[in-house]
Amino acid sequence: MAKINTSELLENLAAEIGENIYIDISKWHLYLADAKLHHVVAEKLYPLITDNDVNEKKVIAILESILVKIGGGRRELSLVDLLPVQCQVNLVDILEKYQREI
């Protein structure tokens, strides 16, 4: 993956996040690609990969900073509050994989 340019790497990262990470609401799984959040998440997390600084605390802090509008925009919740713990673990695993490969 070292020969892939930044925009291609970011696009691949967003696609993998979108296909594997989901919001859980009353046991309904809304994948981030379907929620149109995968690009935002990838863009915010990408610097951790390039800085070789992926760790759970930093990932959680970034997820806390991403606000998701619900109820037609009447409220906003932090993305970390909508992701099951296993998805957070899977997200860190995905980021660590990309970090190793670049």
Side-chain angles (χ1 to χ4, degrees), residues 1-34:
M1 200 179 286
K3 296 184 184 193
I4 296 176
N5 67 39
T6 300
S7 61
E8 189 175 349
L9 181 65
L10 191 55
E11 195 60 39
N12 291 342
L13 177 62
E16 190 161 351
I17 289 170
E19 293 170 3
N20 294 292
I21 308 302
Y22 58 85
I23 293 169
D24 184 326
I25 299 176
S26 295
K27 301 197 191 264
W28 285 77
H29 296 173
L30 177 61
Y31 284 85
L32 295 190
D34 296 328

Side-chain angles (χ1 to χ4, degrees), residues 13 45 49 54 59 91-99:
L13 177 62
L45 294 170
I49 294 170
V54 173
V59 171
L91 180 57
V92 171
D93 290 344
I94 290 168
L95 296 172
E96 287 174 342
K97 179 184 88 168
Y98 274 80
Q99 182 175 264

Side-chain angles (χ1 to χ4, degrees), residues 22-61:
Y22 58 85
I23 293 169
D24 184 326
I25 299 176
S26 295
K27 301 197 191 264
W28 285 77
H29 296 173
L30 177 61
Y31 284 85
L32 295 190
D34 296 328
K36 308 291 189 239
L37 291 169
H38 58 305
H39 284 287
V40 170
V41 172
E43 289 170 3
K44 297 248 184 194
L45 294 170
Y46 182 74
L48 295 180
I49 294 170
T50 58
D51 294 343
N52 201 27
D53 199 21
V54 173
N55 69 62
E56 186 178 0
K57 282 186 178 185
K58 289 186 179 184
V59 171
I60 298 300

